[in-house]
Amino acid sequence: MRQQDENAMRRAIELARAQHGRTGDNPSVGCVLMSADGRRLSEGATGDGGRPHAEQLALTQFKGKLPVGTTAYVTLEPCRERSTGEASCSNRLIKAGVARVVVSVMDRHPKGAGGKAAIESAGIDIATGFLEEEAAFLYEDFFASLG
């Protein structure tokens, strides 16, 4: 599982890196959805201007119901709340039925932070800090702008 985790998170980081600097005030996030048997189901990165969010895009691009045991690999903690009033990424992952979420960097934004707690309270396994050193550069400017 460790190699699959590394490969999937590195792909998520690659997706986020490709959008870095194109997402307006929002951070560039990458998300990869993987089946329990190691198939890549879908992926996404934060859209130009900051929307849609990576998780939203990856979930929307996958047609049908996610297979049991799906893991979401996300470079930044899935948001707890959206400024637009849309469903948060943490709630989208919960409703989609993911079994596990692997996060690289924890969010410090007041509306973003707390997604981990929402996911945990839904009974979903969540691991944080995975390949954090490789993804941290993506969020330096975003966190600095929070003051």
Side-chain angles (χ1 to χ4, degrees):
M1 182 69 88
R2 178 76 180 178
Q3 189 61 51
Q4 177 181 312
D5 288 344
E6 286 183 20
N7 291 343
M9 186 60 81
R10 284 202 171 97
R11 175 63 182 154
I13 292 168
E14 181 181 311
L15 292 166
R17 183 181 296 125
Q19 280 297 95
H20 193 64
R22 300 175 54 136
T23 58
D25 293 338
N26 285 353
S28 179
V29 177
C31 176
V32 174
L33 300 175
M34 298 286 290
S35 67
D37 63 2
R39 288 179 298 120
R40 187 180 316 157
L41 302 171
S42 185
E43 63 185 28
T46 307
D48 289 350
R51 288 186 177 71
H53 286 190
E55 301 91 328
Q56 179 181 359
L57 189 58
L59 289 167
T60 301
Q61 288 183 350
F62 184 80
K63 304 299 180 206
K65 185 171 171 35
L66 289 177
V68 172
T70 296
T71 297
Y73 296 87
V74 189
T75 58
L76 184 66
E77 177 186 14
C79 61
R80 170 188 52 82
E81 186 179 332
R82 297 278 297 264
S83 60
T84 62
E86 291 182 72
S88 67
C89 291
S90 56
N91 283 334
R92 288 174 191 269
L93 291 170
I94 293 165
K95 286 183 180 177
V98 299
R100 181 172 169 244
V101 178
V102 179
V103 174
S104 189
V105 177
M106 294 300 290
D107 200 344
R108 294 184 212 154
H109 189 282
K111 290 190 177 195
K116 176 184 183 275
I119 291 167
E120 284 176 326
S121 69
I124 298 170
D125 180 42
I126 184 166
T128 61
F130 191 73
L131 300 183
E132 183 175 13
E133 306 80 34
E134 292 183 34
F137 78 94
L138 292 164
Y139 307 109
E140 291 170 355
D141 292 342
F142 176 67
F143 291 152
S145 74
L146 298 177

